[in-house]
Amino acid sequence: MNILYDRTKRTFFHAQEAITTYGFAKNSFLLSSKDSDQCYTFEVSIGKNTTAIPLIGIVSSKEGSSKYRGNFELFRSIQQDVEKAGGICFVFSPQDVFGDTIWGIVYHHSLHKWVRCLFPVPNVIYNRVPSRHTEQNQSYEKLLHFIKRHDIPFFNPHFFNKWEIYEILSKNEGLKSYLPETKLVRDEEAFSDFLTTHKKVYVKHSLSSQGKGIRLIEIDQKGRILCKSVKKMERFASLSRLYQTYQEWFSDNLWIMQEAIPCKTLHDHRFDFRILVLHTGEAFRLIGIGVRMSQRQEVTTHVPAGGKVISLKDVADAETKKEISRLVHTCGEELAKTFGYVGEFSIDLAPREQGGFVLFEINSKPMSFDEIEIETNRRKQLVRTFFTLSAKNTEG
């Protein structure tokens, strides 16, 4: 079925039988109309008994008045999957909300480019805003009011704060054994006590991602302080010298110190699991498990920092997968208690040297996985969830 957008009238319509009307978006309709020269045409696959066509909005960000930012390869793939399932998908920024409409862009396959259209209220909004800064401006607040006013399911509430996530998870008795001891970096005395107790600790910014800014601090046998980052290793004769170099750790209560628990290795390199979780509209589902192994440095296993993708078969058995599956549901339930609807998140988990697992952190808005199978399953489940939420939202 072809859905057309009249660029002059700024309305969507269909060219099927004149008596046929389809529900469209949250509170709009698609009526039949004659084709015109001023139309964009989008092909959507719908079933014989289809009466409604969901509208899915992907919110990203925009530089200036027209240049959008974000993972457009992912956005385009999601749009294709949404169209095959019988819906329309578009990308917009918080600045694009006007009254009860949203300006946005949608990929036009025949023209091989993104085109601008005016959309009604979407059934679901998928949050892919790429920076915390964008989530803190006035336009984003305006979008949140729009979402609340129209009661739109908002897929991913915001970026997570590492310290806040630790506090949430540590209240669950079933999750405590997975968590390394973690504290806010408040002053030099507290940091000194923490390092003396554990000998080896990570320092991370609560709002960072992809291992940015992370440091591994340890005391060697001679009492010297070693400070390792992704790119270098520094040696300090005393803690006071370390404090002088990294004064920012003690200035804003946004840095955490985390016990460095010995973890299993493969070929003398540490590895961890990157676990992707999505909500189906009914429950949390484990989508895939990627494995990352460190190479040039042992501070982080992130691929952009030199980490390597390895096979899950090399490091996990059936029991490991069962435990991860149980962990996924418990973490999801705890996040939902605090944040409301959480549609997607990832978990960084590693096997302890002495048995069991350590949960390093949970991230919202996961980046694309290198494993093609995981990414394919991710998009399929995303679309199924969008449609499940759309049906519930329409009913409401």
Side-chain angles (χ1 to χ4, degrees):
M1 169 181 168
N2 287 335
I3 293 177
L4 299 92
Y5 175 76
D6 189 314
R7 287 179 284 169
T8 303
K9 297 179 180 179
R10 297 176 178 173
T11 58
F12 286 90
F13 64 92
H14 70 87
Q16 304 289 99
E17 294 181 19
I19 60 171
T20 306
T21 301
Y22 294 92
F24 179 53
K26 182 172 171 63
N27 52 12
S28 189
F29 296 93
L30 280 184
L31 303 176
S32 176
S33 181
K34 291 183 179 180
D35 195 358
S36 79
D37 295 333
Q38 297 299 313
C39 287
Y40 294 132
T41 302
F42 305 97
E43 188 175 341
V44 174
S45 301
I46 64 170
K48 291 182 179 180
N49 299 320
T50 299
T51 59
I53 298 169
L55 178 65
I56 312 302
I58 302 176
V59 59
S60 186
S61 66
K62 193 163 61 173
E63 291 179 5
S65 60
S66 60
K67 188 177 180 181
Y68 288 86
R69 295 179 58 216
N71 185 345
F72 277 84
E73 185 178 348
L74 174 64
F75 299 164
R76 185 174 163 184
S77 298
I78 290 174
Q79 180 188 321
Q80 288 179 316
D81 290 344
V82 167
E83 288 172 350
K84 288 176 183 176
I88 292 284
C89 182
F90 71 103
V91 177
F92 71 101
S93 76
Q95 301 99 291
D96 293 324
V97 178
F98 294 94
D100 292 332
T101 58
I102 303 177
W103 280 104
I105 56 173
V106 55
Y107 189 77
H108 196 291
H109 301 289
S110 298
L111 297 177
H112 305 292
K113 67 178 185 178
W114 294 84
V115 297
R116 193 166 182 256
C117 303
L118 185 65
F119 295 89
V121 178
N123 298 90
V124 177
I125 293 179
Y126 181 36
N127 184 0
R128 293 302 301 187
V129 170
S131 72
R132 296 177 189 274
H133 176 73
T134 303
E135 287 190 345
Q136 295 167 352
N137 64 31
Q138 192 172 1
S139 295
Y140 190 78
E141 286 297 319
K142 178 182 172 184
L143 170 63
L144 294 181
H145 287 303
F146 175 87
I147 288 168
K148 185 175 181 180
R149 186 169 80 249
H150 291 288
D151 193 25
I152 305 169
F154 192 38
F155 204 99
N156 290 344
H158 49 69
F159 283 103
F160 291 153
N161 177 304
K162 289 179 174 59
W163 174 245
E164 185 179 10
I165 294 299
Y166 175 79
E167 288 192 303
I168 291 168
L169 300 184
S170 61
K171 292 174 183 176
N172 184 296
E173 290 298 324
L175 293 175
K176 273 187 177 180
S177 64
Y178 290 93
L179 303 175
E181 185 178 1
T182 303
K183 292 184 178 181
L184 276 176
V185 179
R186 297 190 184 278
D187 53 52
E188 295 175 7
E189 183 180 358
F191 182 86
S192 177
D193 291 342
F194 195 78
L195 181 60
T196 301
T197 299
H198 296 292
K199 306 301 181 187
K200 197 172 183 179
V201 303
Y202 287 103
V203 177
K204 306 175 182 178
H205 197 284
S206 290
L207 306 181
S208 68
S209 60
Q210 302 174 49
K212 294 176 182 176
I214 187 172
R215 295 290 189 276
L216 178 60
I217 315 297
E218 60 181 298
I219 304 175
D220 69 10
Q221 294 177 342
K222 296 181 179 180
R224 293 176 302 182
I225 310 302
L226 304 182
C227 178
K228 300 177 183 177
S229 70
V230 169
K231 295 182 179 179
K232 63 181 179 180
M233 182 171 74
E234 301 167 285
R235 289 181 173 85
F236 298 93
S238 65
L239 277 173
S240 60
R241 293 290 181 89
L242 174 72
Y243 300 152
Q244 289 172 14
T245 304
Y246 292 100
Q247 295 179 22
E248 67 270 20
W249 292 354
F250 309 94
S251 62
D252 54 14
N253 281 339
L254 285 175
W255 293 83
I256 60 172
M257 47 190 177
Q258 192 172 71
E259 168 192 9
I261 293 176
C263 293
K264 288 183 179 179
T265 61
L266 181 68
H267 308 310
D268 296 323
H269 292 292
R270 58 177 291 238
F271 65 90
D272 56 31
F273 302 116
R274 300 295 163 84
I275 302 156
L276 179 63
V277 186
L278 267 75
H279 199 268
T280 64
E282 304 290 344
F284 290 99
R285 180 188 169 201
L286 171 61
I287 299 301
I289 305 171
V291 187
R292 305 290 179 266
M293 184 170 71
S294 61
Q295 290 288 283
R296 297 192 301 265
Q297 45 75 32
E298 298 298 315
V299 177
T300 178
T301 63
H302 287 284
V303 172
K308 178 182 178 182
V309 177
I310 64 174
S311 173
L312 182 63
K313 297 176 183 178
D314 294 337
V315 291
D317 55 19
E319 193 55 43
T320 295
K321 296 173 186 176
K322 285 181 182 179
E323 182 163 359
I324 288 175
S325 184
R326 289 193 294 267
L327 182 65
V328 159
H329 292 285
T330 306
C331 289
E333 289 167 2
E334 290 301 320
L335 294 174
K337 286 178 186 177
T338 301
F339 301 120
Y341 188 74
V342 176
E344 182 180 35
F345 62 91
S346 64
I347 300 174
D348 291 354
L349 187 78
R352 295 174 185 251
E353 200 173 72
Q354 301 301 323
F357 295 89
V358 54
L359 194 162
F360 295 116
E361 56 190 66
I362 295 182
N363 303 292
S364 67
K365 306 184 199 178
M367 294 180 64
S368 296
F369 276 63
D370 295 286
E371 295 85 351
I372 296 174
E373 182 181 3
I374 294 178
E375 274 301 296
T376 300
N377 291 337
R378 175 191 197 176
R379 291 198 308 272
K380 287 180 179 178
Q381 183 58 62
L382 276 173
V383 174
R384 284 195 293 266
T385 303
F386 292 157
F387 276 64
T388 298
L389 295 176
S390 296
K392 289 182 176 182
N393 194 229
T394 301
E395 291 165 7

